[in-house]
Amino acid sequence: MNSDDRHNQYDEEEDVEETFVDDDDVADVAHYEGEEGDEDMAMDDDDDDDNEQGDGGERSEILLEDDSVQGFFAHKEPVFSVDLHPTKQNLVVSGGSDDRAYIWQLDTGEQIAELSQHGDSVSAVRFSSDGSLVATGGMDGKIHVYSVDKREQCATLDGPDEIQFVDWHPKGNVLLAGAQDASLWMWSLPTGDFMHVFAGHSAPVTCGRFTNSGRNIVSGAEDGSLIVWDPKTAAIVRQFTSQDERFHQGAITSLAIARDDQVILTGSVDATAKLVHVNGSILGSLGNATESVEAVGLCDVLPLAATGSVDGSLSVWDINTMRLRTTLRHDDSVTRVLWHESSPMLTSVSMDCSVRTWDARTGECVRVWRGHQAGIMDLALTHDGRTVVTASDDGCCLVFSE
């Protein structure tokens, strides 16, 4: 996420004391409420030209169709990140360019807590693997960590520059963050003890995560490099760079890791995706897009990969043969894709304001949901894949369910 392009700093006239508060008396908020909040915005044809949402840019028309079953509307500016609690799937955390993050309830849209305010946009939010903690990372270079059950802040982490992503170790309360200053940092929680800084990229780190076993860390950067790290020593285990002409010749935007941790898929602004093995082999290039590949995913149950592009294409690949199976399509940039757990179903979101679920075996679009008034930036899926939570440039989070 580029801080110049994707967020507006929320300037406070006075310093605001950090808070982590309950909000049991949240008033019902009208869907797409006006700035004054006194009356619902009229959604008929006569008012279409006057209605705008957040900072999502100009739109030729307002989408009148709304398939959402619930929503959260406390954010008044674009929402960048959303995550579902791993066990209590009725709890959602979201963060956005209003410098704020909230925990709220999926089924009612009720605000459970407002988390401590950042000094700049909240670029990443994530529940820990066991759900006991939640972290919010900001473009102010700070990470706030809270106890979910006690609703208390337990640590504020400093060190990196603007936070690009956060990720939790799959088997312990260890937090990883990637930053604009080309570094990655790691801490032990809830104490907040610093563990390692990872130095090896020469440009902002754009994506990264622990492997599924937790034995390694994988990160990608704007310099076109992909690095596999040893989290115990912060040493580089494997590195792929643009010096190898078979690899990316542009910034890496996204990555996915196979369930067995042996294969990594990366997307890049060079309009390709690359499939690599952790042993250092470059297995192949997936090149169906005409513009930047912004989203990638690997299926857990079949040897399939998905790549989503700024050109609106969503390509499904057979990774055994490296052949294109089918090309699916949104009407605008594909921003995020998620494979369903233990299923060949795939859900994607786009700047065209839609959520679409596909059967990757047939290429059939089995579901289309609409309701946002601006592009969708992030999504989270319940374990059964039947409910989707979205974060949008229109300043809203919506819930869609079968």
Side-chain angles (χ1 to χ4, degrees), residues 322-373:
M322 305 302 294
R323 292 182 178 177
L324 179 67
R325 286 177 60 101
T326 186
T327 302
L328 316 172
R329 189 155 294 279
H330 277 272
D331 297 326
D332 206 334
S333 303
V334 178
T335 52
R336 189 94 157 82
V337 298
L338 282 179
W339 288 95
H340 294 208
E341 294 181 16
S342 304
S343 167
M345 306 298 286
L346 176 71
T347 294
S348 57
V349 293
S350 167
M351 295 303 290
D352 68 6
C353 310
S354 74
V355 182
R356 298 174 188 258
T357 296
W358 318 80
D359 187 333
R361 296 163 298 186
T362 64
E364 178 188 3
C365 182
V366 298
R367 199 170 300 110
V368 180
W369 285 310
R370 300 184 186 276
H372 281 295
Q373 303 295 295

Side-chain angles (χ1 to χ4, degrees), residues 304-325:
L304 299 176
T307 59
S309 172
V310 170
D311 64 15
S313 66
L314 178 60
S315 302
V316 178
W317 306 82
D318 184 325
I319 61 174
N320 285 339
T321 63
M322 305 302 294
R323 292 182 178 177
L324 179 67
R325 286 177 60 101

Side-chain angles (χ1 to χ4, degrees), residues 2-296:
N2 185 291
S3 60
D4 291 331
D5 294 338
R6 296 183 55 187
H7 77 280
N8 293 318
Q9 185 168 352
Y10 186 92
D11 295 322
E12 293 287 342
E13 294 181 358
E14 299 177 354
D15 292 337
V16 179
E17 183 179 357
E18 292 186 343
T19 58
F20 182 77
V21 298
D22 297 330
D23 193 354
D24 296 329
D25 301 319
V26 178
D28 292 336
V29 182
H31 199 162
Y32 308 119
E33 183 181 34
E35 290 184 2
E36 296 298 323
D38 295 327
E39 297 179 356
D40 292 349
M41 291 180 68
M43 296 301 289
D44 55 20
D45 292 340
D46 292 337
D47 294 330
D48 281 355
D49 293 338
D50 297 327
N51 291 335
E52 294 185 359
Q53 280 299 315
D55 297 325
E58 295 181 359
R59 299 180 306 282
S60 59
E61 60 182 10
I62 294 294
L63 300 175
L64 303 181
E65 185 178 359
D66 186 2
D67 303 312
S68 64
V69 298
Q70 194 49 262
F72 182 71
F73 311 102
H75 293 285
K76 301 304 180 185
E77 296 184 36
V79 187
F80 295 143
S81 185
V82 66
D83 192 34
L84 276 166
H85 194 281
T87 58
K88 302 173 183 177
Q89 296 245 288
N90 200 33
L91 287 182
V92 185
V93 60
S94 58
S97 68
D98 55 3
D99 310 346
R100 289 173 166 82
Y102 299 91
I103 296 176
W104 50 280
Q105 197 159 310
L106 180 76
D107 57 349
T108 65
E110 177 186 0
Q111 179 178 309
I112 303 301
E114 178 178 352
L115 310 184
S116 298
Q117 185 174 347
H118 282 265
D120 206 335
S121 297
V122 178
S123 52
V125 295
R126 191 72 60 202
F127 286 108
S128 62
S129 300
D130 65 1
S132 63
L133 301 173
V134 63
T136 66
M139 303 303 283
D140 58 0
K142 296 183 182 299
I143 299 172
H144 300 315
V145 183
Y146 311 85
S147 166
V148 174
D149 290 336
K150 295 180 180 179
R151 301 182 187 177
E152 295 177 351
Q153 186 168 343
C154 57
T156 295
L157 310 175
D158 290 293
D161 198 346
E162 301 172 354
I163 303 300
Q164 303 296 302
F165 70 86
V166 295
D167 190 50
W168 291 91
H169 193 281
K171 298 179 180 178
N173 288 330
V174 172
L175 183 67
L176 176 72
Q180 183 79 10
D181 62 8
S183 68
L184 295 93
W185 294 62
M186 192 169 72
W187 302 266
S188 176
L189 276 303
T191 61
D193 293 338
F194 169 75
M195 297 178 70
H196 290 299
V197 62
F198 300 80
H201 295 291
S202 61
V205 181
T206 55
C207 52
R209 50 163 290 194
F210 287 99
T211 56
N212 300 298
S213 66
R215 295 175 182 172
N216 291 112
I217 291 168
V218 182
S219 61
E222 287 187 7
D223 59 8
S225 66
L226 178 75
I227 299 180
V228 180
W229 309 86
D230 181 345
K232 294 181 179 179
T233 64
I236 295 176
V237 176
R238 200 78 60 202
Q239 187 169 15
F240 303 84
T241 72
S242 58
Q243 292 180 354
D244 187 333
E245 294 183 356
R246 300 172 300 164
F247 197 59
H248 290 300
Q249 300 302 301
I252 293 176
T253 61
S254 51
L255 65 84
I257 303 173
R259 174 178 281 184
D260 63 4
D261 291 341
Q262 297 302 297
V263 173
I264 304 165
L265 179 65
T266 54
S268 170
V269 298
D270 65 9
T272 69
K274 304 292 184 181
L275 196 68
V276 303
H277 196 280
V278 292
N279 66 10
S281 302
I282 298 177
L283 303 177
S285 180
L286 311 179
N288 188 46
T290 60
E291 297 184 66
S292 176
V293 175
E294 295 291 309
V296 297

